[in-house]
Amino acid sequence: MTEKQEAKRHGRRLVVVVYPFQGHINPMLQLATILNSNGFSITILHPEFNSPNHSNYPDFSFVSIPDGLSKTNTVSVSPGDLAATISAINRNCEAPFQRYMEQILEAEDPPDRVAGVIFDGFMYFAQRVANHLKLPGISVRTSAAASLFAFAVFRHHDGHGYIPFQDSLSQLDQVPELEALKLKDIIVSAAANPALLELRAVLTETTKNASAVIVNTIHFLEQQTLTKVQECFQVPIFPIGPFHKLAPSSSSSLLEEDTNCISWLDKQAPESVIYVSFGSMTSMDENELLEIASGLANSEQPFLWVVRPGSVRGPEWADELLPKSFWERVEEGRGCIVKWAPQKEVLAHGAVGGFWSHCGWNSTLESVCEGVPMLCRPFFGDQLLSSRYVCRVWKIGLEMEGVLERGKIEKGIRRLMVDSEGVEIRQRAKGLKEKADFCLSEDGSSYNALNELVQHILSS
Ligand code: UDX
């Protein structure tokens, strides 16, 4: 009997708990699609706000639970509010989730019984409920395994706050991959934020109590880090990523994708376009917007630029904010600007030759999987870590840090897209794509880890 038939025979249902922000909704729905195609039935449980579009997933059941936050879709919150938002969601969702689970456990038919709860690590209340109901809880890390490790190198210290876990920190230097990430700088720089430290401690404890951890990564991308994570957490770790390649799923965008940019890309020369997008949460001021526009115009390269509504701080942004020289380039057909793009399709398009990104983990993996070299401008959190992977460990991109200034931008784009330095980086990016393809094929690391995960769930 195949695993798929086995799962069907047991009528296994998985309750998948989603954290309601774009960079988490996408990978969690992709993961649910992967598990569904392996024979599990899926119930998606999500807070009321930023609800995914249920009609795009007719095979799933959806349940929304009160979150006590705004009823309107907020799409994103500012990074400074993240720890408080995560904590409020966890506080508010636990009781309704527990009530819901008790109801379905009382009512369920044996063929549809719940095999386990799969939750985004940020929705840690789900682990408490799973423990209470004696169900297996599997935590999902939608970002790099290194970020999971970064969370773990803190511990509670004698009631006065949180301090760096010195032993673990010194171990970082002994792992070349982690040393190259300069993880230490990132961890220490976050030490001033008590809410964040508390969150990291809770996330680490919950992950240690999970029956397993699924990570959206590929083994060869983070080989040494995964060994370290395994040692630290002592639960089975399944690196089955990149989810989006295993699950050609429907769109889970909260904003409408503007597909006109694909016909614009069709008219551009191969590998000539720099795609610019800073994800779903970052924001910039008007001056930075202006510098980017001038840098793009002066680079003489075709560009596709996503300016998300709300991503420019200050008064609502309008076309007039951008210089005439910019709009002349757009009108000549050398530029295209959209509010939200079908990003995976864009990165897979032959005309795209570079990605200027904030290095959200999804964007990073999507770029790796299409062999597109990157210009990295991390803004906060794990974006700093992903940028260091790209530029210092995998060497498939260039850093663009510090004050945004048009001359620097123009130079960075030309270094990546035109100069000989960029040619080598592009070759390495293509090599990485081939390795990623291999990991997804039969007997590749992700393929095998997925089979092991299915077995793990079936035997829990
Ligand atoms: C957030 C955090 O910023 C990031 O650090 C963390 O790793 C995940 O959560 P976000 O800003 O949403 O991430 O970026 P990213 O992880 O790259 O996810 C964005 C998703 O939106 C990607 O799947 C991307 O394909 C999609 N996207 C982005 C679009 O579909 N269209 C766009 O125009 C831009």
Side-chain angles (χ1 to χ4, degrees):
M1 193 180 291
T2 64
E3 277 157 7
K4 199 165 174 171
Q5 287 164 336
E6 175 86 351
K8 279 219 162 99
R9 192 168 68 87
H10 290 283
R12 295 293 179 104
R13 176 164 295 277
L14 295 170
V15 176
V16 177
V17 182
V18 174
Y19 172 63
F21 292 97
Q22 190 71 74
H24 291 250
I25 292 171
N26 289 3
M28 288 304 281
L29 286 172
Q30 288 153 4
L31 175 62
T33 306
I34 296 167
L35 293 167
N36 185 235
S37 60
N38 277 273
F40 295 97
S41 19
I42 301 291
T43 297
I44 300 286
L45 192 125
H46 63 85
E48 279 168 349
F49 83 129
N50 279 353
S51 168
N53 186 346
H54 299 185
S55 61
N56 284 347
Y57 296 87
D59 294 337
F60 297 173
S61 305
F62 283 86
V63 177
S64 78
I65 48 172
D67 46 53
L69 304 172
S70 154
K71 282 235 156 94
T72 54
N73 274 10
T74 56
V75 182
S76 74
V77 293
S78 74
D81 295 336
L82 265 184
T85 307
I86 293 172
S87 153
I89 292 175
N90 277 276
R91 243 187 349 264
N92 299 337
C93 291
E94 183 164 347
F97 178 55
Q98 173 139 339
R99 277 196 297 279
Y100 168 74
M101 290 300 293
E102 282 167 352
Q103 274 167 19
I104 60 164
L105 289 176
E106 266 172 35
E108 71 180 7
D109 300 327
D112 200 29
R113 70 179 185 275
V114 175
V117 177
I118 307 233
F119 61 98
D120 186 309
F122 282 179
M123 303 293 268
Y124 46 83
F125 68 90
Q127 178 67 57
R128 287 200 287 261
V129 174
N131 285 347
H132 182 75
L133 300 171
K134 303 204 170 17
L135 285 170
I138 299 185
S139 172
V140 183
R141 186 65 198 145
T142 57
S143 296
S147 68
L148 198 59
F149 190 69
F151 287 173
V153 294
F154 283 90
R155 63 178 175 159
H156 199 196
H157 179 59
D158 65 17
H160 295 302
Y162 294 87
I163 57 155
F165 188 1
Q166 293 300 345
D167 293 348
S168 297
L169 277 184
S170 63
Q171 281 178 48
L172 293 180
D173 295 339
Q174 294 155 27
V175 182
E177 195 174 79
L178 295 172
E179 225 286 300
L181 288 179
K182 296 273 171 273
L183 203 50
K184 221 173 188 170
D185 306 347
I186 301 174
I187 292 168
V188 172
S189 71
N193 183 340
L196 201 57
L197 296 185
E198 192 165 340
L199 173 66
R200 286 171 171 218
V202 175
L203 285 171
T204 302
E205 278 319 298
T206 317
T207 311
K208 285 183 174 168
N209 286 323
S211 89
V213 180
I214 301 171
V215 191
N216 190 13
T217 193
I218 319 178
H219 188 261
F220 80 92
L221 288 179
E222 302 197 82
Q223 200 163 348
Q224 296 163 343
T225 311
L226 280 163
T227 308
K228 210 75 200 145
V229 167
Q230 181 72 71
E231 275 171 25
C232 175
F233 287 91
Q234 303 276 315
V235 294
I237 311 277
F238 297 102
I240 67 163
F243 298 169
H244 75 281
K245 279 290 179 183
L246 279 166
S249 63
S250 312
S251 164
S252 45
S253 278
L254 296 168
L255 297 169
E256 195 184 339
E257 295 171 352
D258 184 342
T259 51
N260 288 327
C261 58
I262 301 295
S263 18
W264 179 82
L265 282 173
D266 289 342
K267 295 188 205 110
Q268 310 304 317
E271 294 180 354
S272 65
V273 175
I274 177 93
Y275 168 57
V276 185
S277 170
F278 303 123
S280 66
M281 305 192 91
T282 59
S283 63
M284 62 184 75
D285 60 32
E286 256 180 73
N287 188 48
E288 288 171 316
L289 181 86
L290 208 63
E291 292 300 314
I292 294 175
S294 299
L296 287 172
N298 298 342
S299 74
E300 298 296 329
Q301 288 297 120
F303 57 86
L304 167 57
W305 184 14
V306 178
V307 184
R308 200 187 76 243
S311 65
V312 184
R313 292 189 293 271
E316 192 58 23
W317 96 278
D319 292 359
E320 301 80 69
L321 287 178
L322 297 174
K324 212 163 147 259
S325 61
F326 174 83
W327 289 112
E328 280 165 7
R329 300 307 202 288
V330 173
E331 275 152 25
E332 281 161 13
R334 192 167 66 71
C336 177
I337 182 162
V338 293
K339 293 190 167 116
W340 194 249
Q343 181 165 300
K344 291 195 289 296
E345 213 181 321
V346 165
L347 287 168
H349 198 287
V352 173
F355 182 12
W356 182 12
S357 170
H358 68 311
C359 295
W361 186 244
N362 298 290
S363 293
T364 304
L365 282 182
E366 287 159 11
S367 208
V368 164
C369 287
E370 301 307 335
V372 176
M374 297 171 80
L375 206 51
C376 298
R377 168 110 193 137
F379 286 65
F380 62 88
D382 69 323
Q383 297 160 13
L384 300 154
L385 197 149
S386 314
S387 164
R388 288 171 185 199
Y389 261 136
V390 169
C391 303
R392 304 180 192 189
V393 180
W394 311 328
K395 300 187 168 48
I396 57 159
L398 296 170
E399 276 162 343
M400 166 89 75
E401 287 178 349
V403 178
L404 272 187
E405 182 272 316
R406 63 192 68 190
K408 191 202 277 183
I409 296 168
E410 178 190 341
K411 195 162 166 236
I413 294 174
R414 295 195 63 79
R415 275 175 72 202
L416 187 75
M417 303 294 288
V418 185
D419 296 354
S420 55
E421 191 182 3
V423 174
E424 281 174 30
I425 292 174
R426 186 176 312 280
Q427 275 167 356
R428 276 197 293 274
K430 287 185 174 164
L432 220 59
K433 170 189 164 36
E434 279 175 24
K435 278 174 119 177
D437 287 345
F438 177 73
C439 290
L440 291 162
S441 62
E442 201 166 333
D443 270 341
S445 65
S446 296
Y447 176 93
N448 288 338
L450 175 58
N451 284 338
E452 286 161 19
L453 169 68
V454 170
Q455 279 311 323
H456 174 90
I457 301 172
L458 288 174
S459 61
S460 296

